[in-house]
Amino acid sequence: MKTLTFLSSLSLLAIAIPAQATIHTVHNDPLYNAQYSSVDAAISAASPFDTLLIHGSGVSYGNITLNKSLTLIGPGHDPALNERASLNFLTIASGSDSSVVEGLNLGGTTCNSYGVRFDRNRFTSYLSLYSTADSVTVRGNVFMGSYVNVDPGAENVLVSNNYFSEASTGRQFYDGSATTLVLNNVFVRSSTSTSSGNLVFDATSSFTVFANNVFITATVDSFNPDDCPNFSFQNNLSHSDAGTLVGMGPNNLDNTAPTWDLGGDYPEFSYDHDYTMLSGTPATGASDGGQVGVMGGTYPFLNSGLPSLIPRVVGTQLETPYVPVGGSIDVNFQAEQGQP
């Protein structure tokens, strides 16, 4: 019988990446047939606008500095579907304009480049956009006990359709800028700590627009929009079972329970939950007439973090299980792709 070698879905379906870019595969387990065993080596070998497909592994890929325009794609972060591809610390340095980071498990992350896109990642520490960051998009990510810090000098930042899940103390959004839009996110604080650090916002005089977001907190004092006098709040929803929260001003759904059925008042992020609003006022409370929260807007949230740029193999079937020596074998592959 003819031997057939099956590659992982990231390598097998690399043809889905635009043909003009070179594909570099990375796996830090030598038993896998990847081109590189470290992300650093792949970055060094890559040319601007190439793509690195980083395979899931039980071992972190360590601290990485990106110093050229590249696309980094992991397998998504739902452990039931794939092993995560983890970076302890990611630095998006100057010269990395228009880079894309998608489907990875990230610790501390900093960015000071133009046009960078962070899509469908899982952050476990923080994402900090420096003053030189410009036209950065942060979409569809999960922040587990993590936060976003937008320097007041950063320009044209979009933070949309992310789930911020905070079970301990620590702020969820720092600073912001006059050209920062924060749209269709969910901010959940399940911690009942009375610490002064258990707040949603860092007190700031910066200007930022918040629209169509959901804020849920287990303590009244954690919700502090009044500490940010220049923030603009429009069509957001806030709720706490602990008491009455500070109002965000006109055109918001203050102290309104979201129409979710998640089995808890302050739901930490779960891969099993459906974050679509049910019928009722909150479902039609967004400025565009759609939903507030992560399922609204133009980039609905995908729990798994499966990358939108490549499909993944979900099944194989041998069409010709018995063949003579030197014969051909037909295999039917089934694949699915994260929604664009």
Side-chain angles (χ1 to χ4, degrees):
M1 181 177 292
K2 187 175 181 180
T3 301
L4 182 67
T5 300
F6 291 93
L7 301 178
S8 72
S9 59
L10 284 178
S11 298
L12 182 67
L13 297 171
I15 55 173
I17 304 296
Q20 65 268 24
T22 299
I23 310 302
H24 305 270
T25 58
V26 185
H27 204 308
N28 56 14
D29 187 334
L31 295 178
Y32 287 81
N33 188 26
Q35 295 169 291
Y36 300 95
S37 60
S38 75
V39 176
D40 279 335
I43 291 174
S44 296
S47 297
F49 305 106
D50 283 355
T51 295
L52 273 58
L53 300 181
I54 306 172
H55 291 258
S57 171
V59 178
S60 172
Y61 288 91
N63 299 335
I64 303 300
T65 297
L66 190 62
N67 54 13
K68 61 184 72 170
S69 302
L70 296 175
T71 295
L72 308 184
I73 301 179
H77 49 74
D78 184 349
L81 299 178
N82 302 287
E83 224 171 4
R84 293 167 176 158
S86 300
L87 307 181
N88 290 344
F89 195 97
L90 174 62
T91 301
I92 309 291
S94 176
S96 304
D97 294 349
S98 301
S99 290
V100 177
V101 180
E102 184 174 19
L104 292 168
N105 189 56
L106 301 171
T109 304
T110 62
C111 176
N112 62 359
S113 288
Y114 174 89
V116 177
R117 198 172 81 227
F118 297 94
D119 286 351
R120 296 179 179 172
N121 302 288
R122 179 178 182 266
F123 290 89
T124 59
S125 185
Y126 61 85
L127 171 60
S128 186
L129 307 182
Y130 291 158
S131 61
T132 49
D134 188 354
S135 300
V136 174
T137 300
V138 183
R139 301 184 306 179
N141 302 280
V142 176
F143 289 82
M144 297 296 297
S146 185
Y147 63 85
V148 168
N149 184 357
V150 180
D151 188 278
E155 297 183 354
N156 304 310
V157 174
L158 174 63
V159 179
S160 78
N161 298 88
N162 304 284
Y163 197 101
F164 292 81
S165 184
E166 181 61 84
S168 59
T169 59
R171 292 164 177 80
Q172 295 176 305
F173 190 90
Y174 282 75
D175 291 329
S177 73
T179 54
T180 297
L181 294 176
V182 183
L183 310 177
N184 288 103
N185 301 279
V186 171
F187 296 84
V188 175
R189 299 204 59 93
S190 58
S191 171
T192 57
S193 170
T194 57
S195 165
S196 60
N198 191 34
L199 300 170
V200 175
F201 307 108
D202 182 51
T204 180
S205 59
S206 297
F207 293 83
T208 294
V209 174
F210 286 79
N212 308 334
N213 300 286
V214 173
F215 299 96
I216 306 175
T217 176
T219 59
V220 171
D221 291 340
S222 293
F223 190 57
N224 61 323
D226 48 335
D227 286 338
C228 312
N230 293 322
F231 279 2
S232 174
F233 294 94
Q234 297 292 324
N235 298 89
N236 301 282
L237 178 150
S238 67
H239 174 70
S240 177
D241 282 344
T244 302
L245 299 175
V246 172
M248 292 175 282
N251 303 316
N252 289 284
L253 297 166
D254 295 319
N255 297 288
T256 303
T259 57
W260 286 328
D261 183 16
L262 302 180
D265 295 327
Y266 310 107
E268 293 183 36
F269 173 75
S270 170
Y271 291 102
D272 299 325
H273 288 166
D274 182 354
Y275 295 103
T276 304
M277 288 284 187
L278 305 177
S279 61
T281 301
T284 57
S287 58
D288 61 359
Q291 296 187 40
V292 295
V294 292
M295 300 307 293
T298 59
Y299 196 81
F301 183 74
L302 186 67
N303 293 37
S304 64
L306 289 174
S308 62
L309 297 176
I310 60 169
R312 61 184 285 271
V313 173
V314 294
T316 59
Q317 181 177 356
L318 295 177
E319 300 293 337
T320 53
Y322 301 101
V323 295
V325 175
S328 299
I329 186 169
D330 296 326
V331 182
N332 179 32
F333 288 93
Q334 295 177 316
E336 65 181 15
Q337 185 172 1
Q339 62 199 33

